[in-house]
Amino acid sequence: SQRDVVILEWRPTDLAAIALNYYRNGFDFLHPQILWGGNGPGYVEMEFPLLPYCIAALYSVFGIHDWVALAIPMMCGIGLAVVVNRLTAHFFGAAAGFIAGLFAATAPTWLAMSTGLWPDAPPVFCGTLGLYLLARWVDEGATADFIVAACAVSLAILLKLTSLYLGLPILFLFWVKYGQRWWRVPRVWLFAILVLLAPVLWYVHAYR
């Protein structure tokens, strides 16, 4: 098999096909289409199709090229190293943050995910960013950090349903801030609503 092309497995193939169909068929965001749908329109039940939609938008500006399809995953790869640096430095200092960021930037699995057309890089970046901002809110109390953290975690779940595992560290951060009474605090439930509302709406639509 070739190792110098953007398409290596079925998942990148589907993402590339959905992006191409958005580009060709009018950017109907709510109805992503694959190429193996037979005689039907090929609408597919999937996670929030923001990545292929943005790739299609970039196609309309720069043309259909492999580097265009890889731009967003690669930016998320770089972004994760920065966020891991800031998250680690927040708890353990600048030196530990530098080392953590370096490990994130050079991890073989992450390099593979962020330099190919895989759906994993954006949700991992968004989820990590959400945890960092929520941790900063726990210490500093800035409302903007709270809101953006909720939006980032919500987007991570939209992009990859398995991002629901982020609920574990999020609960821990609320426990750190509020102690055993965390479940009685309205702001905790507000955060849950902000995080889960959009994913519920999208996945109900996708199922239908």
Side-chain angles (χ1 to χ4, degrees), residues 8-15 118:
L8 296 175
E9 302 287 351
W10 72 268
R11 194 66 172 89
T13 301
D14 265 2
L15 285 176
W118 297 93

Side-chain angles (χ1 to χ4, degrees), residues 13-29 31-38 40-44 46 52-53 55-57 59 64:
T13 301
D14 265 2
L15 285 176
I18 293 165
L20 194 61
N21 280 327
Y22 273 135
Y23 174 73
R24 290 173 172 173
N25 299 333
F27 293 91
D28 183 1
F29 184 84
H31 297 90
Q33 296 169 277
I34 37 77
L35 292 177
W36 41 265
Y43 299 139
V44 63
M46 65 176 296
Y53 190 86
I55 291 172
Y59 282 164
I64 302 174

